[in-house]
Amino acid sequence: MGNKEKAKERREKRLQEIRLQMTIPYSDNQRWWSKETVAVVTGGNRGIGFEICRQLAVHGLTVILTSRDSSAGIESIQSLQEGGLSVVYHQLDVTDHSSINQFVQWLRENYGGLDILVNNAGVNFNLGSDNSVENAHKVVETNYYGTKHTIEAIIPLMKPSLVGARIVNVSSRLGRLNGRRNRISNVALREELNDVESLSDELIDRTLSTFLQQVEDGTWATSGWPQVYTDYSVSKLAVNAYTRLMARKLSERPEGQKIYINCYCPGWVKTALTGYAGNNTVEEGADTGVWLALLSVQTFMGKFFAERREINF
């Protein structure tokens, strides 16, 4: 059996374990949440985001489904509401500062804050073997800066509690620093981004600025960036770095005001983002994100997960 076959076999075995875990209900001791627990999900009108909304609502939380397109979002919540689930809608374009501010004001006035934030909003314009960077600016602006700006605006509204508030960033293995495939070849930059203590907003911004400048001048392909879905991979590399940076900053908060931030890779999921060419179902893709959001004893901070297991950045 070759390496690819062995990897496929391991992946399928792990997915079988996940499918089994998904059928096991939370015990009363594990359920720290109630209907008053508020979860906000960005990009929730379809795919993984919609499924995360559905699963959180099934568990009994109040879920605020957001999306850039109001008509798509309103249509999405109807099926959930018809099923008796506590889901409401509000428009949110994570690339628009005024939209973020309007949402934050509405959230404060109507709910007083939130307990869980799942940053799922994202775009990808490449399918199959494509690797165009024509939309690189939009990909970076949405996937990284949209996530960053949403977190920065919403953190002041995260409710204090004994179990701690939670932020879950939907990311990708394609953005791993130390993966065997698709990593950036600039060793010095890789080491800089891997050093959590010296990691900074400025370093992440500089990395993205360099990439986008090289996209503009046409030198990106020979500059050592990831070779698969380059713009998407770079944007998720930035999300992963920002998750670790924010974990360092948030770790200083006292007990009762903790905010736990982590990221996860849903896998190659059958959604519009992948042209429905993935291996995993949306239920499987959403599972680890929901699991991270609902952990009864949260000790993870600034970690990266896939299939309910911690993986390396």
Side-chain angles (χ1 to χ4, degrees):
M1 183 182 294
N3 290 335
K4 285 187 177 180
E5 288 76 15
K6 289 180 180 178
K8 184 178 180 181
E9 187 178 84
R10 287 195 301 269
R11 184 173 62 246
E12 184 55 37
K13 182 179 180 181
R14 184 58 188 158
L15 282 175
Q16 289 175 359
E17 294 173 0
I18 292 295
R19 290 169 191 141
L20 175 61
Q21 290 173 330
M22 289 169 65
T23 66
I24 302 173
Y26 286 90
S27 67
D28 290 341
N29 290 335
Q30 293 173 312
R31 295 175 64 90
W32 57 268
W33 61 90
S34 68
K35 191 175 181 180
E36 282 67 50
T37 304
V38 176
V40 171
V41 181
T42 69
N45 61 294
R46 65 178 184 176
I48 294 169
F50 178 82
E51 180 59 22
I52 289 174
C53 289
R54 189 193 70 80
Q55 290 188 25
L56 289 172
V58 166
H59 286 306
L61 290 78
T62 292
V63 177
I64 300 173
L65 183 157
T66 73
S67 67
R68 178 181 55 81
D69 185 331
S70 295
S71 58
I74 292 170
E75 184 178 339
S76 295
I77 68 166
Q78 289 176 346
S79 62
L80 299 176
Q81 290 176 336
E82 288 169 1
L85 299 177
S86 182
V87 182
V88 296
Y89 175 76
H90 197 281
Q91 192 272 343
L92 174 60
D93 181 350
V94 299
T95 66
D96 183 342
H97 286 284
S98 64
S99 177
I100 294 174
N101 292 337
Q102 288 171 17
F103 174 71
V104 167
Q105 182 178 349
W106 172 86
L107 185 63
R108 181 187 295 111
E109 292 174 353
N110 289 272
Y111 293 91
L114 73 162
D115 304 275
I116 296 168
L117 171 64
V118 180
N119 289 297
N120 171 72
V123 293
N124 170 43
F125 295 93
N126 288 306
L127 297 174
S129 59
D130 297 341
N131 192 30
S132 168
V133 293
E134 180 182 351
N135 296 290
H137 282 273
K138 186 172 184 178
V139 171
V140 169
E141 185 64 29
T142 304
N143 296 0
Y144 173 64
Y145 286 107
T147 295
K148 177 184 179 180
H149 294 155
T150 300
I151 289 173
E152 289 174 345
I154 279 185
I155 276 180
L157 289 186
M158 302 208 81
K159 297 177 180 178
S161 69
L162 293 176
V163 296
R166 290 99 192 276
I167 299 174
V168 179
N169 294 329
V170 181
S171 191
S172 173
R173 286 184 178 94
L174 289 174
R176 292 174 73 181
L177 278 173
N178 299 305
R180 285 174 293 179
R181 298 175 295 170
N182 210 47
R183 66 185 181 183
I184 54 176
S185 60
N186 185 327
V187 176
L189 177 58
R190 208 162 64 224
E191 289 177 349
E192 274 191 286
L193 290 167
N194 201 37
D195 185 348
V196 178
E197 293 308 312
S198 63
L199 197 57
S200 66
D201 291 288
E202 292 75 19
L203 174 59
I204 300 172
D205 288 343
R206 188 169 70 247
T207 301
L208 294 175
S209 179
T210 299
F211 167 65
L212 292 174
Q213 181 57 51
Q214 291 174 352
V215 167
E216 291 293 322
D217 62 31
T219 61
W220 67 273
T222 56
S223 298
W225 300 105
Q227 296 301 300
V228 177
Y229 296 174
T230 302
D231 53 6
Y232 181 82
S233 298
V234 169
S235 74
K236 292 302 186 179
L237 181 153
V239 169
N240 291 349
Y242 183 70
T243 301
R244 302 174 88 183
L245 172 61
M246 286 305 299
R248 192 186 76 209
K249 294 179 179 180
L250 293 171
S251 65
E252 300 172 359
R253 295 172 72 99
E255 291 298 326
Q257 297 181 33
K258 291 289 188 184
I259 299 176
Y260 297 94
I261 182 169
N262 295 286
C263 55
Y264 92 100
C265 175
W268 198 238
V269 183
K270 298 172 185 175
T271 65
L273 199 73
T274 65
Y276 300 95
N279 300 313
N280 301 352
T281 66
V282 288
E283 292 83 3
E284 293 161 352
D287 175 73
T288 297
V290 173
W291 170 75
L292 275 173
L294 298 182
L295 279 173
S296 55
V297 180
Q298 178 62 278
T299 58
F300 301 121
M301 181 72 112
K303 303 298 183 182
F304 192 16
F305 293 86
E307 292 92 39
R308 298 197 186 192
R309 288 180 176 175
E310 185 180 346
I311 61 176
N312 295 326
F313 282 96

